[in-house]
């Protein structure tokens, strides 16, 4: 005799209750491309963070953190077998690591950084001469004023590259052994601040040594703080650009350029009939605090803003890849999201 099958449990409305949905499978379906193309769980964890998945979300799914959730997704995902080849052949997407460059931005970016370098070396002498009616300095005077800052920045190139490389390597190592995203965020922030502090210390030594080595140009050289502010802005812009954040780096450079170009515009506009009062702010600033006050403020304020942005964005797991896995670029948030 055939035993009839037991009826499926019914809910209050009388309809049979179906199987409960698997939230991890739902998450896997929503991020199928990420999980199918990932080389290891770390890449999935970075991608999940970029899409707003936090440790709290992972805890609601029965995992201690996003890393643990990424391990399950990596184990359950079906591999396409073409992810490494296809992604290695395509150009870098927005936010992926790119070769280190001074702020990036193509031709406009190059013009911005050339302006900042030129103004930082000796450009502050020109608005001072225009403001006080002095004779414009000749090429020899400009070269003498530029020599200490140029020597200091040249000596700081190698330490800047080392600090940026040390931070990136430390972040990738901590991404592998951190137990949670919160722990990684804290480690990455401390490492970034330490890298910036080390570079600034080395830069100060380079500036003081260069000014001591070129005593002939001491009187004409810009104050040390202006050179340090310029070096800090260049370092932070290059660090952000190396991790794909070219827009914030270029925005900081443009802000500095605008602040340095404003005195020229005011001094030239003051020569128009009835506009002589426009040069008073520049005349007061250069007379009270010296001509280097303009590049100091113009570079220090954007550098500080870029540092705040870098501490927030560069501490995310989503902006750090792994160089020990071939053909494994990291999944990064877009620049619009990071900005």
């Amino acid at each position: 005799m055939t035993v009839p099958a037991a009826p499926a449990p019914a809910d209050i409305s009388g309809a049979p209750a179906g199987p409960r949905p698997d939230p991890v499978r739902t998450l896997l379906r929503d991020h199928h491309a990420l999980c199918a193309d990932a080389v290891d769980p770390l890449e999935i964890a970075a991608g999940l963070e970029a899409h707003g998945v936090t440790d709290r979300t992972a805890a609601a799914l029965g995992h201690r953190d996003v890393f643990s959730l990424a391990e399950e997704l990596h184990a359950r995902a079906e591999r396409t077998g073409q992810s490494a080849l296809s992604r290695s052949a395509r150009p870098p997407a927005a936010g992926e690591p790119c070769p280190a460059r001074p702020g990036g931005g193509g031709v406009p970016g190059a013009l911005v950084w050339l302006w900042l370098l030129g103004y930082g070396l000796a450009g502050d002498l020109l608005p001072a001469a225009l403001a006080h009616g002095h004779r414009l300095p000749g090429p020899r005077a400009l070269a003498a004023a530029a020599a200490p800052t140029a020597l200091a920045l040249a000596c700081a190139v190698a330490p800047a590259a080392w600090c940026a490389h040390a931070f990136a390597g430390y972040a990738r190592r901590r991404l592998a052994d951190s137990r949670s995203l919160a722990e990684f965020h804290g480690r990455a922030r401390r490492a970034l601040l330490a890298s910036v502090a080390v570079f600034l210390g080395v830069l100060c030594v380079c500036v003081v040594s260069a000014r001591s080595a070129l005593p002939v140009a001491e009187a004409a050289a810009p104050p040390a703080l202006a050179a340090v502010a310029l070096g800090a802005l260049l370092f932070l812009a290059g660090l952000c650009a190396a991790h794909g954040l070219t827009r914030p780096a270029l925005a900081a450079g443009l802000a500095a350029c605008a602040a340095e170009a404003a005195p020229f515009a005011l001094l030239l506009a003051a020569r128009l009939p009835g506009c002589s009062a426009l040069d008073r702010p520049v005349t007061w600033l250069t007379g009270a605090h010296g001509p280097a006050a303009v590049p100091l403020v113009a570079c220090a304020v954007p550098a500080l803003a870029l540092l705040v942005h870098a501490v927030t964005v560069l501490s995310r797991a989503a902006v750090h890849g792994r160089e020990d896995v071939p053909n494994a670029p990291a999944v990064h948030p877009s620049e619009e999201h990071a900005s």
Side-chain angles (χ1 to χ4, degrees):
M1 182 177 63
T2 303
V3 180
D11 57 13
I12 299 178
S13 63
R20 298 182 61 184
D22 183 356
V24 177
R25 182 172 296 277
T26 302
L27 188 66
L28 179 61
R29 184 176 63 252
D30 294 340
H31 301 280
H32 174 74
L34 168 64
C35 299
D37 293 345
V39 177
D40 60 10
L42 296 179
E43 190 174 348
I44 297 179
L48 292 177
E49 186 202 24
H51 288 89
V53 178
T54 63
D55 288 341
R56 180 176 299 180
T57 306
L61 299 178
H63 289 269
R64 66 179 185 276
D65 51 43
V66 175
F67 289 152
S68 176
L69 176 61
E71 290 177 354
E72 180 179 351
L73 292 175
H74 184 264
R76 297 173 62 173
E78 297 180 359
R79 300 290 176 268
T80 62
Q82 301 176 352
S83 58
L85 179 62
S86 61
R87 293 193 309 168
S88 62
R90 66 169 171 80
E96 287 189 359
C98 50
R101 53 196 184 277
V107 175
L111 295 177
V112 166
W113 306 115
L114 286 176
W115 168 277
L116 290 177
L117 283 172
Y119 196 104
L121 293 178
D124 53 339
L125 298 180
L126 301 179
L130 291 175
H132 301 286
H134 300 161
R135 183 178 179 180
L136 294 179
R140 181 173 298 180
L142 292 176
T149 303
L151 178 60
L153 293 179
C155 294
V157 170
W162 183 87
C163 289
H165 180 75
F167 165 70
Y170 176 86
R172 284 190 296 269
R173 293 191 299 271
R174 296 293 76 81
L175 182 61
D177 58 23
S178 296
R179 294 185 298 270
S180 65
L181 287 178
E183 179 181 350
F184 173 79
H185 292 169
R187 288 179 170 184
R189 289 191 189 99
R190 290 190 293 270
L192 175 60
L193 293 175
S195 299
V196 174
V198 170
F199 171 74
L200 290 180
V202 174
L203 178 61
C204 290
V205 173
C206 292
V207 170
V208 173
S209 301
R211 291 166 66 87
S212 300
L214 300 172
V216 177
E218 182 70 22
L225 287 179
V228 172
L230 173 61
L233 178 59
L234 294 176
F235 172 72
L236 290 169
L239 183 63
C240 289
H243 289 85
L245 305 177
T246 56
R247 290 185 180 180
L250 185 58
L254 287 173
C257 288
E260 292 177 347
F264 287 103
L266 291 176
L267 291 173
L268 294 177
R271 299 186 176 186
L272 298 176
C275 300
S276 58
L278 292 178
D279 64 350
R280 292 180 182 176
V282 182
T283 304
W284 172 83
L285 182 63
T286 57
H289 302 283
V294 173
L296 172 60
V297 176
C299 292
V301 174
L304 182 60
L306 196 57
L307 175 61
V308 174
H309 182 77
V311 169
T312 302
V313 178
L314 296 185
S315 62
R316 299 174 182 171
V319 297
H320 298 285
R322 296 183 64 191
E323 293 181 346
D324 55 337
V325 178
N327 297 326
V331 178
H332 296 282
S334 63
E335 289 182 356
E336 292 79 2
H337 177 72
S339 302

